[in-house]
Amino acid sequence: MLYAEVLDQIRSGEFEHDAKLPSENELSTRFGVSRPVVRDALRRLRIDGYIHSRQGAGSFVTAPAAGADEHEPAPRFLPTQITSISDVQKFYDYRISLEGEAAYFAATYRTEDDIRRIGALLQSMKAQQADASGAIEEDLKFHFAIAQATHNQFFLSVWDASRSHIRFIIEMARNFAVRHSRDHTTMIRSSHEPIFECIRDGDAEGAREKMREHISRSRERVFFGKWT
């Protein structure tokens, strides 16, 4: 995981305190990952207090506070990695709870602009299904737009802190879907549309139910091979 690799290099002194990190393009090439993966890792490192941004200058390693142990992990919202089957199961439980409630409040407080944005992302997600990486990006944007539609900064902060974990889960579920179901494109599309429709119609209970069902079915596909 890129987050852990960069953090190891910060702790080892390869990226020294107050030193500027390589650019997104350089990190992408250096570690052989996409720029969205780099951005997620840098975002998480900022949240955890290991780096900071300077406007127009890039990202810099944050010096430890006076008297602090530089090897002591900084406070963080979530564990930094999903490393076991148990972690995957627990994160699915967490995500069902978080995003189910986000959908409920999105349906309650959404504006016309929110409806247009979520609807446009749904259409874009359909168009991107043939491109695996593009489809994952659109999927993330769709779910984040629902968090935005709550107009609640706490949902936004927690969702953003969970972004890299959600990406991991989406990638894993899609990989299983591609391997085991020839009709995975239709399956994924049909599971998002009811969520949007409930949010659009202001059906808060329905939005919660459809979001929880959507994520629960993803979990069932991963763990139990249920493709219908």
Side-chain angles (χ1 to χ4, degrees), residues 1-3 5-6 23-41 171:
M1 188 175 184
L2 182 60
Y3 173 100
E5 293 184 75
V6 175
S23 69
E24 287 185 7
N25 278 335
E26 290 170 330
L27 288 170
S28 176
T29 300
R30 180 170 181 170
F31 291 100
V33 297
S34 67
R35 288 190 64 184
V37 170
V38 172
R39 284 193 290 270
D40 276 343
E171 287 177 344

Side-chain angles (χ1 to χ4, degrees), residues 14-227:
E14 184 168 345
F15 294 144
E16 296 181 349
H17 298 142
D18 209 36
K20 182 180 178 180
L21 289 180
S23 69
E24 287 185 7
N25 278 335
E26 290 170 330
L27 288 170
S28 176
T29 300
R30 180 170 181 170
F31 291 100
V33 297
S34 67
R35 288 190 64 184
V37 170
V38 172
R39 284 193 290 270
D40 276 343
L42 294 178
R43 180 184 298 107
R44 193 58 184 276
L45 288 163
R46 280 193 294 273
I47 289 171
D48 288 355
Y50 293 112
I51 66 172
H52 60 278
S53 297
R54 296 177 187 170
Q55 189 169 5
S59 297
F60 292 79
V61 178
T62 300
D69 179 352
E70 67 181 79
H71 298 292
E72 182 72 21
R76 53 175 64 97
F77 290 115
L78 294 172
T80 57
Q81 298 185 62
I82 293 175
T83 59
S84 68
I85 296 299
S86 176
D87 286 348
V88 173
Q89 292 172 322
K90 290 174 182 177
F91 190 76
Y92 264 116
D93 289 341
Y94 164 79
R95 191 180 173 204
I96 288 167
S97 300
L98 171 67
E99 296 208 62
E101 295 310 302
Y104 177 95
F105 287 107
T108 302
Y109 296 115
R110 85 283 185 269
T111 65
E112 290 301 318
D113 284 343
D114 292 324
I115 293 170
R116 282 192 291 271
R117 180 170 60 253
I118 297 169
L121 285 167
L122 178 61
Q123 295 305 315
S124 181
M125 188 161 44
K126 294 177 184 179
Q128 291 283 349
Q129 292 298 340
D131 174 8
S133 61
I136 289 168
E137 287 303 311
E138 295 305 308
D139 201 336
L140 280 168
K141 290 177 183 177
F142 176 84
H143 284 272
F144 184 59
I146 291 172
Q148 288 177 308
T150 67
H151 298 277
N152 183 323
Q153 69 271 33
F154 298 103
F155 272 114
L156 282 171
S157 295
V158 173
W159 197 98
D160 200 44
S162 308
R163 184 187 297 266
S164 63
H165 297 67
I166 293 173
R167 175 193 292 279
F168 175 82
I169 292 293
I170 289 174
E171 287 177 344
M172 180 180 61
R174 281 178 177 268
N175 285 337
F176 273 94
V178 169
R179 291 175 186 175
H180 294 280
S181 174
R182 295 180 180 178
D183 201 25
H184 68 279
T185 297
T186 301
M187 176 181 64
I188 292 169
R189 180 173 65 243
S190 63
S191 68
H192 287 87
E193 285 177 339
I195 301 168
F196 166 68
E197 290 167 358
C198 288
I199 292 172
R200 179 196 62 199
D201 297 342
D203 179 1
E205 293 288 351
R208 174 195 279 148
E209 178 184 348
K210 294 302 180 183
M211 179 63 82
R212 290 174 66 90
E213 182 179 295
H214 165 63
I215 300 172
S216 294
R217 285 184 174 177
S218 171
R219 178 173 60 185
E220 289 173 356
R221 288 192 293 271
V222 169
F223 284 102
F224 307 111
K226 294 184 179 180
W227 306 102

